[in-house]
Coordinates of all heavy atoms in Angstrom, one line a residue:
M1 N 7.5 -25.0 -33.3 CA 8.0 -24.2 -32.2 C 8.2 -22.8 -32.8 O 8.7 -22.6 -33.9 CB 9.4 -24.8 -31.8 CG 10.0 -24.0 -30.7 SD 11.4 -24.9 -30.0 CE 12.7 -24.1 -30.7
S2 N 7.8 -21.8 -32.0 CA 8.0 -20.4 -32.4 C 9.0 -19.8 -31.5 O 9.3 -20.2 -30.4 CB 6.7 -19.7 -32.3 OG 6.3 -19.6 -30.9
T3 N 9.6 -18.7 -32.1 CA 10.6 -18.0 -31.4 C 10.2 -16.5 -31.4 O 9.5 -16.1 -32.2 CB 12.0 -18.2 -32.0 OG1 12.0 -17.7 -33.3 CG2 12.5 -19.6 -31.9
A4 N 10.7 -15.8 -30.4 CA 10.5 -14.4 -30.3 C 11.8 -13.7 -30.3 O 12.8 -14.2 -29.7 CB 9.6 -14.0 -29.1
V5 N 11.9 -12.5 -30.9 CA 13.1 -11.7 -30.9 C 12.8 -10.4 -30.3 O 11.8 -9.7 -30.7 CB 13.7 -11.6 -32.3 CG1 14.9 -10.7 -32.3 CG2 14.0 -13.0 -32.9
C6 N 13.6 -9.9 -29.4 CA 13.4 -8.6 -28.8 C 14.5 -7.7 -29.3 O 15.7 -8.0 -29.3 CB 13.5 -8.7 -27.3 SG 13.3 -7.1 -26.5
T7 N 14.1 -6.6 -29.9 CA 15.1 -5.6 -30.4 C 14.9 -4.3 -29.7 O 13.8 -4.0 -29.3 CB 14.9 -5.4 -31.9 OG1 13.6 -4.9 -32.2 CG2 15.1 -6.7 -32.7
A8 N 16.0 -3.6 -29.5 CA 15.9 -2.3 -28.9 C 16.2 -1.2 -29.9 O 17.0 -1.4 -30.8 CB 16.9 -2.3 -27.8
S9 N 15.5 -0.2 -29.8 CA 15.7 1.0 -30.7 C 16.4 2.1 -29.9 O 16.1 2.4 -28.8 CB 14.3 1.5 -31.2 OG 14.5 2.7 -31.8
S10 N 17.4 2.7 -30.6 CA 18.1 3.7 -29.9 C 17.3 5.0 -29.6 O 17.6 5.8 -28.8 CB 19.4 4.1 -30.7 OG 19.0 4.6 -32.0
S11 N 16.2 5.1 -30.3 CA 15.3 6.2 -30.1 C 14.3 6.0 -29.0 O 13.6 7.0 -28.6 CB 14.5 6.5 -31.4 OG 13.6 5.5 -31.7
L12 N 14.3 4.8 -28.4 CA 13.4 4.5 -27.3 C 14.1 4.8 -26.0 O 15.2 4.3 -25.8 CB 13.0 3.0 -27.4 CG 12.1 2.5 -26.3 CD1 10.7 3.2 -26.4 CD2 11.9 1.0 -26.4
S13 N 13.4 5.5 -25.2 CA 14.0 5.8 -23.8 C 12.9 5.6 -22.8 O 11.7 6.0 -23.0 CB 14.6 7.2 -23.8 OG 13.7 8.2 -23.9
L14 N 13.3 5.1 -21.7 CA 12.3 4.9 -20.6 C 12.4 6.1 -19.6 O 13.5 6.7 -19.4 CB 12.6 3.6 -19.8 CG 12.5 2.4 -20.7 CD1 12.9 1.2 -19.9 CD2 11.0 2.2 -21.1
P15 N 11.3 6.5 -19.0 CA 11.4 7.6 -18.0 C 12.2 7.2 -16.8 O 12.3 6.1 -16.4 CB 9.9 7.8 -17.6 CG 9.2 6.5 -18.0 CD 10.0 5.9 -19.1
V16 N 12.9 8.2 -16.3 CA 13.8 8.0 -15.2 C 12.9 8.1 -13.9 O 12.1 9.0 -13.7 CB 14.9 9.1 -15.1 CG1 15.7 8.9 -13.9 CG2 15.7 9.0 -16.4
R17 N 13.0 7.1 -13.0 CA 12.3 7.0 -11.8 C 13.2 7.0 -10.6 O 14.3 6.4 -10.8 CB 11.4 5.7 -11.7 CG 10.1 5.8 -12.4 CD 9.3 4.6 -12.2 NE 9.0 4.4 -10.8 CZ 8.2 3.5 -10.3 NH1 7.7 2.6 -11.2 NH2 7.9 3.4 -9.1
P18 N 12.8 7.5 -9.5 CA 13.7 7.3 -8.3 C 13.9 5.8 -8.0 O 13.1 5.0 -8.4 CB 12.9 8.0 -7.2 CG 11.9 8.9 -7.9 CD 11.7 8.2 -9.2
A19 N 14.9 5.5 -7.3 CA 15.2 4.1 -6.9 C 14.0 3.5 -6.2 O 13.2 4.2 -5.6 CB 16.5 4.1 -6.0
A20 N 14.0 2.2 -6.2 CA 12.9 1.5 -5.5 C 13.0 1.8 -4.0 O 14.0 2.3 -3.5 CB 13.1 0.0 -5.8
I21 N 12.0 1.4 -3.3 CA 12.0 1.6 -1.8 C 13.2 0.8 -1.2 O 13.4 -0.3 -1.5 CB 10.7 1.1 -1.2 CG1 9.5 1.9 -1.8 CG2 10.7 1.1 0.3 CD1 8.1 1.4 -1.5
P22 N 14.0 1.5 -0.4 CA 15.2 0.9 0.2 C 14.9 -0.4 1.0 O 13.8 -0.5 1.6 CB 15.8 2.0 1.1 CG 14.9 3.2 0.9 CD 13.7 2.8 0.1
A23 N 15.8 -1.4 0.9 CA 15.6 -2.6 1.6 C 15.4 -2.4 3.1 O 14.6 -3.1 3.7 CB 16.8 -3.5 1.3
A24 N 16.1 -1.4 3.7 CA 16.0 -1.2 5.1 C 14.5 -0.8 5.5 O 14.1 -1.2 6.6 CB 16.9 -0.1 5.5
A25 N 13.8 -0.2 4.6 CA 12.4 0.2 4.9 C 11.5 -0.9 4.7 O 10.4 -1.0 5.3 CB 12.0 1.4 4.0
R26 N 11.9 -2.0 4.0 CA 11.0 -3.1 3.7 C 11.1 -4.2 4.7 O 10.2 -5.0 4.8 CB 11.4 -3.7 2.3 CG 11.0 -2.8 1.2 CD 11.1 -3.5 -0.2 NE 12.3 -4.2 -0.4 CZ 13.3 -3.7 -1.1 NH1 13.3 -2.6 -1.6 NH2 14.4 -4.5 -1.2
R27 N 12.2 -4.3 5.5 CA 12.4 -5.4 6.4 C 11.2 -5.5 7.4 O 10.8 -4.5 8.0 CB 13.6 -5.2 7.2 CG 14.9 -5.5 6.4 CD 16.1 -5.6 7.3 NE 17.2 -5.5 6.5 CZ 18.0 -4.4 6.4 NH1 17.8 -3.4 7.1 NH2 19.1 -4.4 5.5
G28 N 10.6 -6.6 7.5 CA 9.4 -6.8 8.4 C 8.2 -6.1 7.9 O 7.3 -5.9 8.7
A29 N 8.1 -5.8 6.7 CA 7.0 -5.0 6.2 C 6.5 -5.6 4.8 O 7.2 -6.4 4.2 CB 7.3 -3.5 6.0
W30 N 5.3 -5.1 4.4 CA 4.7 -5.5 3.1 C 4.9 -4.4 2.2 O 4.9 -3.2 2.6 CB 3.2 -5.8 3.3 CG 3.0 -6.9 4.2 CD1 2.8 -6.9 5.6 CD2 2.9 -8.3 3.9 NE1 2.6 -8.1 6.1 CE2 2.7 -9.0 5.1 CE3 3.1 -9.0 2.7 CZ2 2.6 -10.4 5.1 CZ3 3.0 -10.4 2.8 CH2 2.7 -11.1 3.9
Q31 N 5.0 -4.7 0.9 CA 5.2 -3.6 -0.1 C 4.1 -3.6 -1.1 O 3.7 -4.7 -1.5 CB 6.5 -3.8 -0.8 CG 6.9 -2.7 -1.7 CD 8.3 -2.8 -2.2 OE1 9.0 -3.7 -1.9 NE2 8.7 -1.8 -3.0
L32 N 3.6 -2.5 -1.4 CA 2.6 -2.3 -2.5 C 3.3 -1.6 -3.7 O 3.9 -0.5 -3.5 CB 1.4 -1.4 -2.0 CG 0.4 -2.0 -1.2 CD1 -0.6 -1.0 -0.7 CD2 -0.4 -3.1 -1.9
S33 N 3.2 -2.2 -4.8 CA 3.8 -1.5 -6.0 C 2.8 -0.4 -6.5 O 1.6 -0.5 -6.2 CB 4.0 -2.5 -7.1 OG 4.9 -3.5 -6.7
A34 N 3.3 0.5 -7.3 CA 2.5 1.5 -7.9 C 1.3 0.9 -8.6 O 1.5 -0.1 -9.4 CB 3.3 2.4 -8.8
G35 N 0.1 1.4 -8.4 CA -1.1 0.9 -9.1 C -1.7 -0.4 -8.5 O -2.7 -0.9 -8.9
Q36 N -1.0 -1.0 -7.5 CA -1.5 -2.2 -6.8 C -2.4 -1.8 -5.7 O -2.1 -0.9 -4.9 CB -0.3 -3.0 -6.3 CG -0.7 -4.3 -5.6 CD 0.5 -5.0 -5.0 OE1 1.6 -4.5 -5.0 NE2 0.3 -6.2 -4.5
A37 N -3.5 -2.5 -5.5 CA -4.4 -2.3 -4.4 C -4.5 -3.6 -3.6 O -4.3 -4.7 -4.2 CB -5.8 -1.9 -4.9
T38 N -4.8 -3.5 -2.3 CA -5.0 -4.7 -1.5 C -6.1 -4.4 -0.5 O -6.4 -3.3 -0.1 CB -3.7 -5.1 -0.8 OG1 -3.8 -6.4 -0.2 CG2 -3.3 -4.1 0.3
S39 N -6.7 -5.5 -0.1 CA -7.8 -5.4 0.9 C -7.4 -6.2 2.1 O -6.8 -7.3 2.0 CB -9.1 -6.1 0.3 OG -10.1 -6.2 1.2
L40 N -7.5 -5.6 3.3 CA -7.2 -6.3 4.5 C -8.4 -6.3 5.5 O -9.1 -5.3 5.6 CB -6.0 -5.5 5.2 CG -4.7 -5.3 4.4 CD1 -3.8 -4.4 5.1 CD2 -4.1 -6.7 4.3
K41 N -8.7 -7.4 6.1 CA -9.7 -7.5 7.0 C -9.1 -8.0 8.4 O -8.4 -9.0 8.4 CB -10.8 -8.5 6.6 CG -12.0 -8.6 7.5 CD -13.1 -9.3 7.0 CE -14.3 -9.3 8.0 NZ -15.5 -9.9 7.5
A42 N -9.4 -7.2 9.4 CA -8.9 -7.5 10.7 C -9.7 -8.6 11.4 O -10.9 -8.5 11.6 CB -8.9 -6.2 11.6
T43 N -9.0 -9.7 11.7 CA -9.6 -10.8 12.5 C -9.6 -10.5 14.0 O -10.3 -11.1 14.7 CB -8.9 -12.1 12.2 OG1 -7.5 -12.0 12.5 CG2 -9.1 -12.5 10.7
Q44 N -8.7 -9.5 14.3 CA -8.6 -9.0 15.7 C -8.1 -7.6 15.6 O -7.7 -7.1 14.5 CB -7.6 -9.8 16.5 CG -6.3 -10.0 16.0 CD -5.5 -11.1 16.7 OE1 -5.5 -11.1 17.9 NE2 -4.7 -11.9 16.0
A45 N -8.2 -6.8 16.7 CA -7.8 -5.4 16.6 C -6.4 -5.3 16.1 O -5.5 -6.0 16.5 CB -7.9 -4.8 18.0
S46 N -6.2 -4.5 15.1 CA -5.0 -4.4 14.4 C -4.6 -2.9 14.1 O -5.4 -2.0 14.3 CB -5.0 -5.1 13.0 OG -5.4 -6.4 13.2
V47 N -3.3 -2.7 13.7 CA -2.8 -1.4 13.4 C -2.1 -1.4 12.1 O -1.2 -2.2 11.9 CB -1.9 -0.9 14.5 CG1 -1.3 0.5 14.2 CG2 -2.6 -0.8 15.9
L48 N -2.5 -0.6 11.2 CA -1.8 -0.4 9.9 C -0.8 0.8 10.1 O -1.2 1.9 10.5 CB -2.8 0.0 8.8 CG -2.2 0.5 7.5 CD1 -1.5 -0.6 6.8 CD2 -3.3 1.1 6.6
R49 N 0.5 0.6 9.8 CA 1.5 1.6 9.9 C 2.2 1.8 8.6 O 2.6 0.8 8.0 CB 2.5 1.3 11.0 CG 2.0 1.3 12.4 CD 3.1 1.1 13.4 NE 2.6 1.2 14.8 CZ 2.1 0.2 15.4 NH1 2.0 -1.0 14.9 NH2 1.6 0.4 16.7
I50 N 2.3 3.0 8.2 CA 2.9 3.3 6.9 C 4.4 3.6 7.2 O 4.7 4.5 8.0 CB 2.3 4.5 6.2 CG1 0.8 4.3 6.1 CG2 2.9 4.8 4.8 CD1 0.3 3.0 5.4
R51 N 5.3 2.9 6.5 CA 6.7 3.0 6.7 C 7.4 3.9 5.6 O 8.3 4.6 5.8 CB 7.4 1.7 6.8 CG 6.8 0.9 8.0 CD 7.5 -0.4 8.2 NE 8.9 -0.2 8.5 CZ 9.7 -1.3 8.7 NH1 9.2 -2.5 8.7 NH2 11.0 -1.1 8.9
Q52 N 6.8 3.7 4.3 CA 7.5 4.4 3.2 C 6.3 4.7 2.2 O 5.5 3.9 2.0 CB 8.5 3.5 2.6 CG 9.3 4.1 1.4 CD 10.3 5.1 1.9 OE1 10.8 5.0 3.0 NE2 10.7 6.0 1.0
G53 N 6.4 5.9 1.6 CA 5.4 6.3 0.6 C 4.1 6.8 1.3 O 4.0 6.8 2.5
R54 N 3.1 7.1 0.5 CA 1.8 7.5 1.0 C 0.8 6.5 0.4 O 0.9 6.0 -0.7 CB 1.4 8.9 0.6 CG 2.3 9.9 1.3 CD 1.9 11.3 1.1 NE 1.6 11.7 -0.3 CZ 1.0 12.7 -0.7 NH1 0.5 13.6 0.2 NH2 0.9 13.0 -1.9
V55 N -0.3 6.2 1.2 CA -1.3 5.3 0.8 C -2.7 5.9 0.9 O -2.9 6.8 1.8 CB -1.3 3.9 1.5 CG1 -0.1 3.2 1.2 CG2 -1.5 4.1 3.0
W56 N -3.6 5.6 0.0 CA -5.0 6.0 0.0 C -5.7 4.8 0.6 O -5.7 3.7 0.1 CB -5.4 6.3 -1.4 CG -6.9 6.6 -1.5 CD1 -7.8 6.8 -0.6 CD2 -7.6 6.8 -2.8 NE1 -9.0 7.1 -1.1 CE2 -8.9 7.1 -2.5 CE3 -7.2 6.7 -4.1 CZ2 -9.8 7.3 -3.5 CZ3 -8.1 6.9 -5.1 CH2 -9.4 7.2 -4.8
V57 N -6.4 5.0 1.8 CA -7.1 3.9 2.5 C -8.6 4.2 2.4 O -9.0 5.4 2.8 CB -6.6 3.8 3.9 CG1 -7.4 2.8 4.7 CG2 -5.1 3.6 4.0
T58 N -9.4 3.3 2.1 CA -10.8 3.4 2.2 C -11.3 2.3 3.2 O -11.0 1.2 3.1 CB -11.5 3.1 0.8 OG1 -11.0 4.0 -0.1 CG2 -13.0 3.2 0.9
R59 N -12.0 2.8 4.2 CA -12.5 2.0 5.3 C -14.0 1.7 5.0 O -14.8 2.6 4.7 CB -12.4 2.7 6.6 CG -12.8 1.8 7.8 CD -12.9 2.5 9.1 NE -11.9 3.5 9.4 CZ -11.2 3.6 10.5 NH1 -11.4 2.7 11.5 NH2 -10.3 4.5 10.7
D60 N -14.4 0.4 5.0 CA -15.8 0.1 4.7 C -16.7 0.6 5.8 O -16.3 0.7 7.0 CB -15.9 -1.5 4.7 CG -15.5 -2.1 3.4 OD1 -15.1 -1.4 2.5 OD2 -15.5 -3.3 3.4
A61 N -17.9 0.9 5.4 CA -18.9 1.4 6.3 C -19.4 0.2 7.2 O -19.4 -0.9 6.8 CB -20.1 2.0 5.6
N62 N -19.8 0.6 8.4 CA -20.4 -0.5 9.3 C -21.3 0.3 10.3 O -21.6 1.4 10.1 CB -19.3 -1.3 10.0 CG -18.4 -0.5 10.9 OD1 -18.8 0.6 11.4 ND2 -17.2 -0.9 11.0
A63 N -21.8 -0.4 11.3 CA -22.7 0.2 12.3 C -22.0 1.3 13.1 O -22.7 2.2 13.6 CB -23.2 -0.9 13.2
R64 N -20.7 1.3 13.2 CA -20.0 2.3 14.0 C -19.7 3.6 13.2 O -19.6 4.7 13.8 CB -18.7 1.7 14.6 CG -19.0 0.7 15.7 CD -17.7 0.1 16.2 NE -16.8 -0.4 15.2 CZ -16.9 -1.6 14.7 NH1 -17.8 -2.4 15.1 NH2 -16.0 -2.0 13.8
H65 N -19.4 3.5 11.9 CA -19.0 4.6 11.2 C -19.3 4.5 9.7 O -19.5 3.3 9.2 CB -17.5 4.9 11.3 CG -16.6 3.7 11.0 ND1 -16.4 3.4 9.7 CD2 -16.0 2.9 11.8 CE1 -15.6 2.3 9.7 NE2 -15.3 2.0 11.0
A66 N -19.4 5.6 9.0 CA -19.6 5.6 7.5 C -18.3 5.2 6.8 O -17.3 5.3 7.4 CB -20.1 6.9 7.1
S67 N -18.4 4.9 5.6 CA -17.2 4.7 4.8 C -16.4 6.0 4.7 O -17.0 7.1 4.7 CB -17.6 4.3 3.3 OG -16.5 4.1 2.5
E68 N -15.1 5.9 4.7 CA -14.3 7.1 4.7 C -13.0 6.8 3.9 O -12.5 5.7 3.9 CB -14.0 7.6 6.1 CG -13.1 6.6 6.9 CD -12.9 7.2 8.3 OE1 -12.7 8.4 8.5 OE2 -12.8 6.3 9.3
D69 N -12.5 7.8 3.3 CA -11.2 7.8 2.6 C -10.2 8.6 3.4 O -10.5 9.7 3.8 CB -11.4 8.4 1.2 CG -12.2 7.5 0.3 OD1 -12.0 6.2 0.4 OD2 -12.9 8.0 -0.5
L70 N -9.0 8.0 3.5 CA -7.9 8.7 4.2 C -6.7 8.6 3.4 O -6.5 7.6 2.6 CB -7.7 8.0 5.6 CG -8.8 7.8 6.5 CD1 -8.5 6.7 7.5 CD2 -9.2 9.1 7.2
V71 N -5.7 9.5 3.6 CA -4.4 9.4 3.0 C -3.4 9.4 4.2 O -3.5 10.3 5.0 CB -4.1 10.6 2.0 CG1 -2.7 10.5 1.5 CG2 -5.1 10.6 0.9
L72 N -2.6 8.3 4.2 CA -1.7 8.2 5.3 C -0.3 8.3 4.8 O 0.1 7.8 3.7 CB -1.8 6.8 6.0 CG -3.2 6.5 6.6 CD1 -3.2 5.1 7.2 CD2 -3.5 7.5 7.7
A73 N 0.6 9.0 5.5 CA 2.0 9.3 5.1 C 2.9 8.5 6.0 O 2.5 7.9 7.0 CB 2.3 10.8 5.3
P74 N 4.2 8.4 5.7 CA 5.1 7.6 6.5 C 5.1 8.1 8.0 O 5.0 9.3 8.3 CB 6.5 8.0 5.9 CG 6.2 8.3 4.5 CD 4.8 9.0 4.5
G75 N 5.0 7.1 8.9 CA 5.0 7.4 10.3 C 3.6 7.4 10.8 O 3.4 7.4 12.1
E76 N 2.6 7.5 10.0 CA 1.2 7.6 10.4 C 0.6 6.2 10.5 O 1.1 5.2 9.9 CB 0.3 8.4 9.5 CG 0.7 9.9 9.5 CD -0.1 10.8 8.6 OE1 -0.6 10.3 7.6 OE2 -0.4 11.9 9.0
S77 N -0.4 6.0 11.4 CA -1.0 4.7 11.6 C -2.5 4.8 11.6 O -3.1 5.9 11.8 CB -0.5 4.0 12.8 OG -0.8 4.8 14.0
L78 N -3.2 3.7 11.5 CA -4.7 3.6 11.5 C -5.0 2.4 12.3 O -4.6 1.3 12.0 CB -5.2 3.5 10.1 CG -6.7 3.3 10.0 CD1 -7.5 4.5 10.5 CD2 -7.1 3.0 8.6
A79 N -5.8 2.6 13.4 CA -6.3 1.4 14.2 C -7.5 0.9 13.5 O -8.4 1.6 13.0 CB -6.7 1.9 15.6
V80 N -7.5 -0.5 13.4 CA -8.6 -1.1 12.7 C -9.2 -2.2 13.7 O -8.5 -3.0 14.1 CB -8.1 -1.8 11.4 CG1 -9.3 -2.5 10.7 CG2 -7.4 -0.8 10.5
V81 N -10.5 -2.1 14.0 CA -11.1 -3.0 15.0 C -11.4 -4.3 14.3 O -11.6 -4.4 13.1 CB -12.4 -2.4 15.6 CG1 -12.0 -1.1 16.4 CG2 -13.4 -2.1 14.6
A82 N -11.5 -5.3 15.1 CA -11.8 -6.7 14.6 C -13.1 -6.7 13.8 O -14.1 -6.1 14.2 CB -11.9 -7.7 15.8
G83 N -13.0 -7.3 12.6 CA -14.1 -7.4 11.7 C -14.2 -6.3 10.7 O -14.9 -6.5 9.7
D84 N -13.4 -5.2 10.8 CA -13.4 -4.1 9.8 C -12.5 -4.5 8.7 O -11.5 -5.2 8.8 CB -13.0 -2.8 10.5 CG -14.1 -2.1 11.2 OD1 -15.2 -2.7 11.3 OD2 -13.8 -1.0 11.7
R85 N -12.8 -4.0 7.5 CA -12.1 -4.2 6.3 C -11.6 -2.8 5.7 O -12.4 -1.9 5.7 CB -12.9 -4.9 5.3 CG -12.1 -5.3 4.0 CD -13.0 -6.0 3.0 NE -13.9 -5.1 2.3 CZ -13.6 -4.7 1.0 NH1 -12.6 -5.1 0.4 NH2 -14.5 -3.9 0.5
I86 N -10.4 -2.8 5.2 CA -9.9 -1.6 4.5 C -9.4 -2.0 3.2 O -9.0 -3.2 3.0 CB -8.8 -0.9 5.3 CG1 -7.6 -1.8 5.5 CG2 -9.3 -0.4 6.7 CD1 -6.4 -1.1 6.0
V87 N -9.4 -1.1 2.2 CA -8.8 -1.3 0.9 C -7.8 -0.1 0.8 O -8.1 1.0 1.1 CB -9.8 -1.2 -0.2 CG1 -9.1 -1.3 -1.6 CG2 -10.9 -2.3 -0.1
M88 N -6.6 -0.5 0.3 CA -5.6 0.6 0.2 C -4.7 0.4 -1.1 O -4.6 -0.7 -1.6 CB -4.7 0.7 1.4 CG -3.8 -0.5 1.6 SD -2.8 -0.2 3.1 CE -1.9 -1.8 3.1
E89 N -4.2 1.5 -1.5 CA -3.3 1.5 -2.7 C -2.4 2.7 -2.5 O -2.7 3.7 -1.8 CB -4.1 1.6 -4.0 CG -4.9 2.8 -4.2 CD -5.6 2.8 -5.5 OE1 -5.0 2.9 -6.6 OE2 -6.9 2.6 -5.4
P90 N -1.2 2.6 -3.2 CA -0.3 3.8 -3.1 C -0.9 5.0 -3.7 O -1.6 5.0 -4.6 CB 0.9 3.3 -4.0 CG 0.9 1.8 -3.9 CD -0.6 1.5 -3.9
W91 N -0.6 6.2 -3.1 CA -1.2 7.4 -3.4 C -0.5 8.0 -4.7 O -1.1 8.6 -5.5 CB -1.0 8.4 -2.3 CG -1.5 9.8 -2.6 CD1 -0.8 10.9 -2.8 CD2 -2.9 10.2 -2.6 NE1 -1.6 12.0 -3.0 CE2 -2.9 11.6 -2.9 CE3 -4.1 9.6 -2.5 CZ2 -4.1 12.3 -3.0 CZ3 -5.2 10.3 -2.6 CH2 -5.2 11.7 -2.8
D92 N 0.7 7.6 -4.9 CA 1.5 8.1 -6.1 C 2.0 7.0 -6.9 O 1.7 5.8 -6.7 CB 2.6 9.1 -5.6 CG 3.5 8.5 -4.6 OD1 3.7 7.2 -4.6 OD2 4.1 9.2 -3.8
G93 N 2.9 7.3 -7.8 CA 3.5 6.2 -8.7 C 4.7 5.5 -8.2 O 5.4 4.9 -9.0
Y94 N 5.0 5.6 -6.9 CA 6.2 5.1 -6.4 C 6.0 3.9 -5.5 O 7.0 3.3 -5.0 CB 7.1 6.1 -5.7 CG 7.4 7.3 -6.6 CD1 6.8 8.5 -6.4 CD2 8.2 7.1 -7.7 CE1 7.1 9.6 -7.2 CE2 8.4 8.2 -8.5 CZ 7.9 9.4 -8.3 OH 8.1 10.5 -9.1
G95 N 4.8 3.5 -5.2 CA 4.6 2.4 -4.3 C 4.7 2.8 -2.8 O 4.9 4.0 -2.5
A96 N 4.5 1.8 -1.9 CA 4.5 2.1 -0.5 C 4.9 0.8 0.3 O 4.7 -0.3 -0.2 CB 3.1 2.6 -0.1
T97 N 5.3 1.0 1.5 CA 5.6 -0.1 2.4 C 4.8 0.1 3.7 O 4.8 1.3 4.2 CB 7.1 -0.1 2.7 OG1 7.8 -0.2 1.5 CG2 7.5 -1.3 3.6
Y98 N 4.3 -1.0 4.2 CA 3.5 -0.9 5.4 C 3.6 -2.1 6.3 O 4.1 -3.1 5.9 CB 2.0 -0.7 5.1 CG 1.4 -1.9 4.4 CD1 0.7 -2.9 5.2 CD2 1.5 -2.2 3.1 CE1 0.1 -4.0 4.6 CE2 0.9 -3.3 2.5 CZ 0.3 -4.2 3.3 OH -0.3 -5.3 2.7
T99 N 3.2 -2.0 7.6 CA 3.1 -3.1 8.5 C 1.7 -3.2 8.9 O 0.9 -2.3 8.9 CB 4.1 -3.0 9.7 OG1 3.7 -1.8 10.4 CG2 5.5 -2.9 9.3
W100 N 1.3 -4.4 9.3 CA 0.0 -4.8 9.7 C 0.1 -5.7 11.0 O 0.5 -6.8 10.8 CB -0.8 -5.5 8.6 CG -2.2 -6.0 8.9 CD1 -2.5 -7.3 9.2 CD2 -3.4 -5.2 8.9 NE1 -3.9 -7.3 9.4 CE2 -4.4 -6.1 9.2 CE3 -3.6 -3.9 8.7 CZ2 -5.7 -5.7 9.3 CZ3 -4.9 -3.4 8.8 CH2 -6.0 -4.3 9.1
D101 N -0.1 -5.1 12.1 CA 0.2 -5.8 13.4 C -1.0 -5.8 14.3 O -1.9 -5.0 14.2 CB 1.4 -5.1 14.1 CG 2.6 -5.0 13.3 OD1 3.1 -6.1 12.9 OD2 3.1 -3.9 13.1
V102 N -1.0 -6.8 15.2 CA -2.0 -6.9 16.2 C -1.9 -5.7 17.1 O -0.7 -5.3 17.5 CB -1.9 -8.2 17.0 CG1 -2.8 -8.3 18.2 CG2 -2.1 -9.4 16.1
A103 N -3.0 -5.1 17.5 CA -2.9 -3.9 18.3 C -2.6 -4.2 19.8 O -2.8 -5.3 20.2 CB -4.3 -3.2 18.3

C-alpha cells in the first residue's frame, strides 16, 4: 500500500479569480467551465440562449450555409434548425451558462 502526502509551501500562491457563476444564473441552465467545449445537435428546431459569460460558437456547414464562427454574449441567442450541429466553448477563462430549448 502506498501513501501520498500533500504539502503546501508558503511561497506558493494561486491567482485570484472572480467568484464562480452565481447559482441564480445557473438554475435551469447548463454550465461550461473554462476550456471546456461541447457539441450540440438539434433533433428539432432549437434555440441556444446565453445567460452568463460569452461563448464562441462554430456552426457546421450544410446545404443552407457555410461554416461560421460567432461570439455570443449574455442575452443573445442563436436559432438552430433541426439536423444542424454546433460546437461551443467559453470565450474567456471564466466559463459560461446557457440554455438549449425547443424553438
Side-chain angles (χ1 to χ4, degrees):
M1 181 167 103
S2 65
T3 60
V5 177
C6 180
T7 59
S9 169
S10 61
S11 64
L12 178 65
S13 64
L14 297 174
V16 177
R17 275 184 67 174
I21 297 170
R26 291 192 309 262
R27 285 189 198 109
W30 298 92
Q31 186 169 3
L32 282 174
S33 299
Q36 179 185 9
T38 191
S39 173
L40 301 171
K41 183 169 183 174
T43 56
Q44 54 191 318
S46 302
V47 178
L48 169 69
R49 288 186 180 88
I50 308 307
R51 296 183 64 181
Q52 182 78 25
R54 292 190 308 166
V55 296
W56 176 9
V57 178
T58 301
R59 186 189 319 228
D60 282 355
N62 61 30
R64 292 181 304 278
H65 56 76
S67 178
E68 63 181 329
D69 289 321
L70 307 163
V71 176
L72 300 176
E76 295 183 325
S77 62
L78 175 67
V80 182
V81 299
D84 278 4
R85 184 179 79 101
I86 63 170
V87 176
M88 66 179 179
E89 64 182 284
W91 179 254
D92 54 27
Y94 302 112
T97 303
Y98 67 95
T99 59
W100 177 256
D101 300 303
V102 174

